[in-house]
Amino acid sequence: MTDQRNIGFQDIRDEVLNRIQTRIWPQGSLLPTELELAAEFGVARATVNRALRELADQGIVTRKRKGGTRVVTTPVKQARLPITVVRQTIEEMNAEYRYALVSRTLIDCPAWLQAKLGLPEGTQVLHLQCMHHADNRPFQFEERWINIAAVPHVADEDFLTVGPNEWLLAEVPFSNAEIAFSAVPATGQLQDFLSVPPGTPLFQLERTTWFQNKPVTFVRMTFHQGYQMRTTY
Amino acid sequence: MTDQRNIGFQDIRDEVLNRIQTRIWPQGSLLPTELELAAEFGVARATVNRALRELADQGIVTRKRKGGTRVVTTPVKQARLPITVVRQTIEEMNAEYRYALVSRTLIDCPAWLQAKLGLPEGTQVLHLQCMHHADNRPFQFEERWINIAAVPHVADEDFLTVGPNEWLLAEVPFSNAEIAFSAVPATGQLQDFLSVPPGTPLFQLERTTWFQNKPVTFVRMTFHQGYQMRTTY
DNA sequence: ATTTCTATTATGTTCAGATTTATAGGAGTA
DNA sequence: TACTCCTATAAATCTGAACATAATAGAAAT
């Protein structure tokens, strides 16, 4: 008995990727058909299909019925950046997490937010401001507006001990969101809460969240000076 | 004949997602086995497998051999942000793209870069600075270091008409990268090239690229004032 | 020359059956 | 109690087949 394992779809995926990287199959070229590859590697067509589909998901190749499988000419790789709750981010740094509610008010939806979320006039929203600390140093200032209609019993929650991010994640999980990253100057409250001189460049993340096509919340998260968001692809 | 199509893996994926969203299967709970679901929907087990695998890829459920399929407790959704070349970004805005080389010098690898990329001492790198304009307004300042050893004939390229980003994408496609986003103050050259007052908060993207585990390039891209990077998930 | 039909082709999806692999949980042991 | 060893289980994967679907090329008709 040899310990030679049978080749699987991952081996085929890797080998095909290798041939693309080494220009055996250059950009824009047509790959052999699934049937041909299945014959070459000695596997079923379904196995080749699985391998090529993964490469297609990664944007390495494009596939068309009848047209065959083609190496893309201009690879548009996608960076996948995991969006976690602040507490988790901080705890992964082996730092102590501390949360503090700054303000909590029930207000009429401001016009800009009404437009942004497409809410009817006169909608009530819960406006929250909170701070997240790591080892007693300011980490993130969070300003959030929640559509009461979308999450009725949010009005009963005081948010004194649990942050709105985590609360909403438990209440309305698996929602859709739109995110925008930018650099903003420290002004007004930001200077105070993040303990930085006015005008300091800060990394900011804005996110609008929907649950089943209904707007739930808009949040603006501003990070401490020098924060970097990292990912690989 | 009715026009009732057979149900496919997408229908099952959607139905399972729906049951998760409506808390029929709450967070942390164990889903029925593939065999049970296959029986319920009247399909083959492979079809259920395909549906559940997609949900697992999206981070909605976790799957373990023997352990079964479980709804995740803290959904860590991944934002997929497509990294394109600047020219494409600008052209998609229906703006006119213009590129200009600022400087191009062959230097000994500075110590900080040597450490960052894990290069041997005395390695030669090509140092480039360039500007990308949109409708004749500064859009992005790009500072880049390229490991000559990894891309030998980069030394023959003058980069007068084509940007290093696009050149490298054509030369070394399908590479791996590590990305970091941050907010930085406009200092030195940045003020001049991006036409902003000193200290202006600017959005910056740093990226280290490897090709088959060999470091290829490190780039620092600083965007014009007010730039937002957007995505959905 | 142009349109319309038709056969071909390669991928897309599904199926039923089978084997492999990781592992949760229990039984046995130190 | 804590540890190791077992075993049933559920997912992970592969197979070889079938049919579906979209895109294309070429033939036929206009």
Side-chain angles (χ1 to χ4, degrees), chain B residues 109-155:
Chain B
C109 185
W112 63 269
L113 185 62
Q114 199 179 296
K116 186 185 270 284
L117 299 185
L119 290 170
E121 209 168 332
T123 310
Q124 287 271 297
V125 295
L126 187 65
H127 179 218
L128 297 165
Q129 292 182 312
C130 8
M131 272 300 301
H132 303 271
H133 296 262
D135 282 341
N136 284 321
R137 294 161 59 89
F139 187 85
Q140 183 196 95
F141 178 74
E142 175 181 355
E143 186 162 24
R144 184 184 288 270
W145 293 262
I146 303 174
N147 177 17
I148 306 273
V151 202
H153 51 298
V154 71

Side-chain angles (χ1 to χ4, degrees), chain A residues 79-167:
Chain A
R80 317 178 113 214
L81 52 102
I83 307 289
T84 56
V85 283
V86 202
R87 185 168 58 77
Q88 200 172 322
T89 310
I90 290 174
E91 284 172 351
E92 277 167 8
M93 292 161 37
N94 289 318
E96 192 201 350
Y97 173 70
R98 188 163 60 79
Y99 160 79
L101 180 67
V102 174
S103 77
R104 178 191 180 284
T105 39
L106 202 61
I107 57 168
D108 285 328
C109 184
W112 62 270
L113 185 62
Q114 197 178 298
K116 186 185 272 283
L117 299 184
L119 290 170
E121 209 168 333
T123 310
Q124 287 271 297
V125 295
L126 187 65
H127 179 217
L128 297 165
Q129 292 182 314
C130 8
M131 270 302 298
H132 303 271
H133 295 262
D135 281 342
N136 284 323
R137 294 161 58 88
F139 187 85
Q140 182 196 95
F141 179 74
E142 175 181 356
E143 185 162 24
R144 185 184 287 271
W145 292 261
I146 303 173
N147 176 19
I148 306 273
V151 202
H153 50 298
V154 70
D156 305 329
E157 176 63 40
D158 60 16
F159 292 110
L160 287 175
T161 57
V162 61
N165 200 337
E166 287 182 72
W167 189 88

Side-chain angles (χ1 to χ4, degrees), chain B residues 31-52:
Chain B
L31 265 56
T33 68
E34 292 187 343
L35 223 50
E36 289 166 339
L37 286 173
E40 182 195 334
F41 290 108
V43 298
R45 196 172 74 88
T47 308
V48 173
N49 180 280
R50 170 87 189 261
L52 293 182

